[in-house]
Amino acid sequence: MTQMEYARKGVATEAMKIVASEENVPLDTVVAAVAEGTAVIPLNIHHTNCHPIGVGRIFKTKVNANLGRSVTHSGRGDELDKLNVAIKAGADFVMDLSVGDDIKAIRQGMLNASSKPLGTVPVYETISRLKGDIPQMDPSLLLQVIKEQAEQGVDFMTLHAGLLLNHIPLAMKRKMGIVSRGGAIMAEWMMENKSENPLYTKWDEVLDILSEHDVTVSLGDGLRPGCLADASDAAQFGELEVLGELVERCRKRSVQVMVEGPGHVPFNQIKMNMEREQQICKGAPFYVLGPVVTDIAPGYDHITSAIGATAAATYGASLLCYVTAAEHLGLPDAREVHEGVISYKIAAHAGDVARDLPGARVRDDEMSDARAAFDWEKQFSLALDPETAKTRWLKTRNNTDEAHCEDHCSMCGKEFCAVRTSRRIKNMSKKL
Amino acid sequence: MTQMEYARKGVATEAMKIVASEENVPLDTVVAAVAEGTAVIPLNIHHTNCHPIGVGRIFKTKVNANLGRSVTHSGRGDELDKLNVAIKAGADFVMDLSVGDDIKAIRQGMLNASSKPLGTVPVYETISRLKGDIPQMDPSLLLQVIKEQAEQGVDFMTLHAGLLLNHIPLAMKRKMGIVSRGGAIMAEWMMENKSENPLYTKWDEVLDILSEHDVTVSLGDGLRPGCLADASDAAQFGELEVLGELVERCRKRSVQVMVEGPGHVPFNQIKMNMEREQQICKGAPFYVLGPVVTDIAPGYDHITSAIGATAAATYGASLLCYVTAAEHLGLPDAREVHEGVISYKIAAHAGDVARDLPGARVRDDEMSDARAAFDWEKQFSLALDPETAKTRWLKTRNNTDEAHCEDHCSMCGKEFCAVRTSRRIKNMSKKL
């Protein structure tokens, strides 16, 4: 039985209890949200070492880190290193997007090493087995790979089932066409075989497999915009309508489902995009990639996209897929994975504060109290990245005669420390 | 005569012509905006090697980089290096916030080296001359310093003239009190001397000096919130009302004026803050510091604040003061200055795109065309930081056999490159 089936029978599973406790949300509320599909707990029944994480607007916004080798780059060891870096930095989910050889072993290594739910895009392994020959893909092979991955313990799968033949001409009018790797694969197969999307036509068979292992569907946005100019266009929103239909089909089968979204979106269009998805997909958790809010900053897309992700989290997203500084240039190294996750923890948290999620600002307030009290160790312990904060602070102090002063920082120096001055003013105020 | 006086007589100065040409805004529009005060061109008549830059909502959003030594850190050489780094990265304005000894010489070095307008906070030099003894400051010394700096060629000055005695009890109720260095100095002086803010009481004398040299006022927000909990409170908005009054007094004297703003603000309060300032200060250009949208990420405040700055630029700010990764921990080094400026160029540009400033998206569209064409050199030339982008790209390529392939990148590799696949689909589409 899936978490959704249990919930619909009114049964609170161990996973729901853990999520309710960690999120400080009443258990009844969690059960009801999983039952109606506004929250999901991606947790394959075979992934027994996995800690359950809730995704939905009643919970804190979550962060996913994409990992995985390309054909010519990296391998199992590197990806395991990056997995550990991502989890240590606070990633709530990880995806293995490997292509090329050795995919199953890489994934098994990640499943063994990860206490966090793991996602995949099964068509990557399918096409990798065919050495990249997309037109030759037999749909039954794709279903076979989905089944094997489900049996292996994958917690959620991106399936580009909403991209249909009639959307492709719309996407070809764009500047960037199709930039989703999975979407481009499905579209080429459809064009070459003059056939409708096999994930769409065989959706019930797909759901049979997923239901058996409680794999959560992540409906891929194969037509997500790849640049600002393509955002919010007919191709994107045409696919979104089909995703809304597929959400309903998942829910009828009690298969948990979330929906993926853009990508590249001007800052002023993000709110509308979030609201539109929530409406069309009837509150299914929205899982967004960025979005980046400008195309002109390669090398800094962890920042361009953390800006968009904050707006997304504020207005409707529940899960943020990080974008790293390597985006558009290469695969991220471990340092870039770390910075990417931290950038997205910032976005997720800033969004939770902005949408007034109960308790979200408590940690900020504790930090402010620690700052006012010059309690540096407390500040570091409250920081999203304690090591980086403390190292940077020590760097300044070790170079100066301020090394033993605790009651100011080197930004202004002791005589010019506003917090010190403000304290003196407060003492004077009390005497008045 | 000030730029504003010329504009009010209908005279288009050389500076206005340069700004109109570079911003691609009709000269009449520039003259009218400077005349009414919705745009300013900070340009001291003595700063003859300075290139004029326009600030206002009719222009592109601008970026300021704060520089300057603390009592124990850095000196003239370091600060000149950082100035060059900031300008190379694209800073439109720089401020010298030095305290301690040698301030005049540091500033002169910056004025000589900088083609960009330079700002200061005169009370810093005043208190530095008094070795930090705030209560002993004679208001006439503050005016003397303002006069000397104006004669030296400073283009704009932050003056905390709106913080009044009756605001101080409001600020003392806060978690963080007063975190503005200049604001805290003024408040302590006022409390110790039981006197109203001398910048406020002597405002006409201040304007006499500034008017003579066409120094632009930047009305300091001495009560800007120093944490999320203090944002949008009675202290902040009480001071803002006075700033609105001071804007009118500047305009009556034809002294150019902009208004400074927060600071630390939850993401969902930024729009309201921008609109409120624009209304109370009658369209005076809003110059904001960040704002940071969460307090829990020391070491990453260039990111927490670029998020807020994008929203600020979208909803009403005209000039963004960067916050660097060193914020709350120390003074920035050259690398942090560079990353800070780039983060803010991102925020300024993303805001310009979001508010549909005419032509803002052209560079994004050219980048997208270059990406679709695999024109890597064009991509780098369009990037906000070409060196970083190219270095990162080469790092991937030099390590692989893909080094000589131009038509894909290492993110997906050749077989899995969505842009390549999308191209094949486009070719098929054409044949149908």
Side-chain angles (χ1 to χ4, degrees):
Chain A
M1 292 224 303
T2 65
Q3 295 289 333
M4 196 175 202
E5 283 176 296
Y6 281 114
R8 285 173 169 186
K9 289 183 197 296
V11 177
T13 62
E14 191 58 28
M16 294 174 209
K17 289 175 189 165
I18 292 170
V19 167
S21 161
E22 293 185 357
E23 299 280 348
N24 203 20
V25 171
L27 184 57
D28 287 357
T29 308
V30 174
V31 175
V34 173
E36 72 181 3
T38 54
V40 297
I41 304 177
L43 188 64
N44 187 307
I45 57 171
H46 309 297
H47 194 186
T48 47
N49 63 328
C50 183
H51 189 84
I53 310 271
V55 180
R57 295 290 281 174
I58 56 170
F59 305 133
K60 289 186 279 290
T61 304
K62 302 303 187 299
V63 172
N64 173 74
N66 281 347
L67 303 170
R69 67 179 301 250
S70 72
V71 174
T72 50
H73 280 75
S74 181
R76 185 172 162 181
D78 282 356
E79 294 311 311
L80 274 184
D81 287 348
K82 288 194 246 175
L83 176 93
N84 291 327
V85 166
I87 289 175
K88 190 180 169 212
D92 303 292
F93 291 84
V94 290
M95 289 190 78
D96 176 19
L97 305 186
S98 293
V99 291
D101 300 329
D102 206 28
I103 295 182
K104 188 170 183 179
I106 292 173
R107 190 169 56 237
Q108 190 62 52
M110 287 190 180
L111 282 166
N112 295 345
S114 175
S115 59
K116 300 298 170 86
L118 181 98
T120 60
V121 187
V123 77
Y124 294 174
E125 182 177 356
T126 312
I127 299 301
S128 294
R129 291 192 192 179
L130 300 169
K131 306 287 176 203
D133 190 347
I134 294 166
Q136 292 308 312
M137 179 181 77
D138 188 319
S140 66
L141 177 64
L142 178 53
L143 264 68
Q144 178 61 30
V145 170
I146 291 171
K147 184 163 180 285
E148 288 176 25
Q149 293 195 3
E151 288 167 352
Q152 199 184 6
V154 169
D155 300 293
F156 61 105
M157 293 183 191
T158 296
L159 299 169
H160 299 89
L163 195 178
L164 303 185
L165 268 174
N166 64 0
H167 300 141
I168 297 175
L170 300 173
M172 291 303 113
K173 291 179 188 163
R174 291 170 157 182
K175 267 193 191 303
M176 291 291 294
I178 303 177
V179 299
S180 154
R181 199 158 59 165
I185 290 169
M186 299 312 292
E188 182 172 21
W189 186 92
M190 289 152 69
M191 290 290 283
E192 285 282 0
N193 291 279
K194 298 185 177 53
S195 300
E196 193 49 277
N197 186 331
L199 286 169
Y200 183 79
T201 56
K202 295 176 187 299
W203 191 240
D204 285 329
E205 291 171 58
V206 172
L207 293 182
D208 285 340
I209 301 167
L210 304 182
S211 170
E212 191 181 338
H213 309 277
D214 199 4
V215 177
T216 297
V217 175
S218 188
L219 285 168
D221 55 332
L223 298 179
R224 69 167 180 265
C227 62
L228 297 189
D230 295 343
S232 311
D233 72 347
Q236 180 192 333
F237 287 140
E239 182 185 35
L240 182 61
E241 291 290 337
V242 183
L243 299 184
E245 174 199 326
L246 293 169
V247 164
E248 300 221 50
R249 290 176 66 185
C250 289
R251 287 178 177 176
K252 275 192 190 137
R253 293 290 307 277
S254 295
V255 171
Q256 300 191 93
V257 59
M258 48 191 182
V259 178
E260 296 184 16
H264 291 237
V265 183
F267 185 75
N268 59 318
Q269 294 177 22
I270 295 173
K271 183 166 186 274
M272 177 271 286
N273 270 269
M274 298 302 120
E275 291 170 350
R276 189 159 177 159
E277 186 277 347
Q278 288 285 279
Q279 187 222 323
I280 291 174
C281 298
K282 303 194 168 51
F286 202 13
Y287 172 24
V288 299
L289 176 66
V292 306
V293 294
T294 171
D295 299 320
I296 66 170
Y300 296 84
D301 278 328
H302 59 313
I303 298 176
T304 66
S305 68
I307 294 167
T310 303
T314 301
Y315 298 124
S318 297
L319 173 56
L320 307 175
C321 182
Y322 81 177
V323 174
T324 74
E327 187 75 18
H328 300 110
L329 301 167
L331 286 180
D333 60 23
R335 186 183 57 82
E336 289 161 337
V337 165
H338 174 82
E339 289 183 3
V341 172
I342 298 291
S343 301
Y344 273 70
K345 296 295 281 185
I346 289 168
H349 180 74
D352 288 344
V353 169
R355 67 188 174 105
D356 281 328
L357 188 74
R361 220 191 62 198
V362 169
R363 190 165 162 186
D364 298 84
D365 291 352
E366 288 173 358
M367 177 68 84
S368 306
D369 290 337
R371 280 187 173 138
F374 295 110
D375 185 342
W376 295 98
E377 289 303 330
K378 186 81 188 288
Q379 290 178 50
F380 304 139
S381 75
L382 287 163
L384 278 177
D385 182 354
E387 272 181 47
T388 295
K390 185 162 187 176
T391 303
R392 182 61 187 82
W393 181 70
L394 286 172
K395 180 187 160 195
T396 307
R397 289 162 57 83
N398 289 344
N399 295 335
T400 73
D401 56 3
E402 297 182 343
H404 299 287
C405 300
E406 291 293 331
D407 60 353
H408 61 279
C409 81
S410 74
M411 287 200 72
C412 305
K414 190 162 184 169
E415 292 86 348
F416 286 88
C417 175
V419 179
R420 280 176 63 86
T421 310
S422 189
R423 246 190 212 184
R424 289 199 299 270
I425 298 168
K426 195 161 196 170
N427 288 335
M428 279 187 274
S429 307
K430 284 177 189 158
K431 288 179 202 149
L432 289 185
Chain B
M1 291 223 304
T2 66
Q3 295 288 334
M4 196 174 202
E5 283 178 293
Y6 281 115
R8 287 173 166 185
K9 290 182 197 297
V11 176
T13 62
E14 191 58 27
M16 295 175 209
K17 289 175 189 168
I18 292 170
V19 167
S21 162
E22 293 184 356
E23 299 280 348
N24 203 20
V25 170
L27 184 57
D28 286 357
T29 308
V30 174
V31 175
V34 172
E36 72 181 3
T38 55
V40 297
I41 304 176
L43 188 64
N44 186 307
I45 58 171
H46 309 296
H47 194 187
T48 48
N49 62 329
C50 182
H51 189 84
I53 309 271
V55 180
R57 295 291 281 174
I58 57 169
F59 306 133
K60 289 185 280 290
T61 303
K62 302 303 188 298
V63 172
N64 174 73
N66 281 347
L67 303 171
R69 66 179 300 248
S70 72
V71 174
T72 51
H73 280 75
S74 179
R76 184 170 164 184
D78 283 355
E79 295 311 310
L80 275 184
D81 287 348
K82 289 194 245 174
L83 176 93
N84 291 327
V85 166
I87 290 175
K88 190 181 169 213
D92 303 293
F93 292 84
V94 290
M95 288 190 80
D96 176 18
L97 305 186
S98 293
V99 290
D101 300 328
D102 205 28
I103 295 182
K104 187 169 184 180
I106 292 173
R107 189 167 58 237
Q108 190 61 52
M110 288 191 180
L111 282 166
N112 295 344
S114 176
S115 59
K116 300 299 170 84
L118 182 98
T120 61
V121 186
V123 79
Y124 294 173
E125 183 177 356
T126 311
I127 299 301
S128 295
R129 290 193 193 177
L130 300 169
K131 306 288 176 204
D133 189 348
I134 295 168
Q136 293 308 313
M137 179 180 77
D138 188 319
S140 67
L141 177 63
L142 178 53
L143 264 67
Q144 178 62 28
V145 170
I146 291 171
K147 183 162 181 284
E148 288 176 24
Q149 293 195 3
E151 288 168 350
Q152 199 184 8
V154 169
D155 300 293
F156 61 105
M157 293 182 191
T158 296
L159 300 168
H160 300 89
L163 195 179
L164 301 186
L165 269 173
N166 63 1
H167 300 140
I168 296 174
L170 300 173
M172 290 304 113
K173 291 179 188 165
R174 292 171 156 181
K175 267 193 190 303
M176 291 290 295
I178 303 178
V179 298
S180 155
R181 198 158 60 166
I185 290 168
M186 298 311 293
E188 182 172 21
W189 186 93
M190 288 152 68
M191 291 290 284
E192 286 282 1
N193 291 280
K194 299 186 176 53
S195 300
E196 194 48 278
N197 186 330
L199 286 170
Y200 183 79
T201 55
K202 296 177 185 296
W203 192 239
D204 286 329
E205 291 171 58
V206 173
L207 293 182
D208 284 341
I209 301 167
L210 304 181
S211 169
E212 190 180 340
H213 309 277
D214 199 3
V215 176
T216 297
V217 174
S218 188
L219 284 169
D221 55 333
L223 298 179
R224 69 166 180 267
C227 63
L228 297 189
D230 295 342
S232 311
D233 72 348
Q236 180 193 333
F237 288 141
E239 182 184 35
L240 182 60
E241 292 289 337
V242 183
L243 299 185
E245 174 199 326
L246 294 170
V247 164
E248 299 220 51
R249 290 175 66 185
C250 289
R251 286 178 177 175
K252 275 190 191 141
R253 295 289 307 278
S254 295
V255 171
Q256 302 190 94
V257 60
M258 46 191 183
V259 178
E260 296 184 15
H264 291 238
V265 184
F267 185 74
N268 60 318
Q269 294 178 21
I270 295 173
K271 184 166 187 274
M272 176 272 285
N273 269 270
M274 298 303 121
E275 290 170 352
R276 188 158 177 159
E277 186 279 346
Q278 288 285 280
Q279 186 222 322
I280 291 174
C281 298
K282 304 198 167 50
F286 202 13
Y287 171 25
V288 299
L289 177 66
V292 306
V293 294
T294 172
D295 299 319
I296 66 169
Y300 295 85
D301 278 328
H302 59 313
I303 298 177
T304 67
S305 68
I307 293 167
T310 303
T314 301
Y315 298 124
S318 297
L319 173 56
L320 308 175
C321 183
Y322 81 176
V323 174
T324 75
E327 186 76 19
H328 300 108
L329 301 167
L331 286 180
D333 60 23
R335 186 184 57 82
E336 290 161 337
V337 166
H338 174 82
E339 289 183 4
V341 172
I342 297 290
S343 301
Y344 274 70
K345 296 295 280 185
I346 290 169
H349 180 74
D352 288 344
V353 169
R355 66 188 174 106
D356 282 328
L357 187 74
R361 220 190 62 198
V362 169
R363 189 166 164 187
D364 298 84
D365 291 352
E366 288 174 356
M367 177 68 84
S368 306
D369 290 337
R371 280 187 173 139
F374 295 109
D375 186 342
W376 294 99
E377 289 302 329
K378 185 81 186 285
Q379 290 177 50
F380 304 138
S381 75
L382 286 164
L384 278 177
D385 182 353
E387 272 182 47
T388 295
K390 185 163 186 176
T391 303
R392 183 61 187 82
W393 182 71
L394 286 172
K395 180 186 160 196
T396 307
R397 289 161 59 82
N398 289 345
N399 295 337
T400 73
D401 55 4
E402 296 182 343
H404 298 289
C405 300
E406 292 292 332
D407 59 355
H408 62 279
C409 81
S410 75
M411 287 198 72
C412 306
K414 191 163 184 171
E415 292 87 347
F416 286 86
C417 174
V419 179
R420 281 175 62 85
T421 310
S422 190
R423 243 191 215 186
R424 290 198 300 270
I425 298 168
K426 195 160 197 171
N427 288 335
M428 279 188 275
S429 307
K430 283 179 188 156
K431 288 181 198 145
L432 290 183

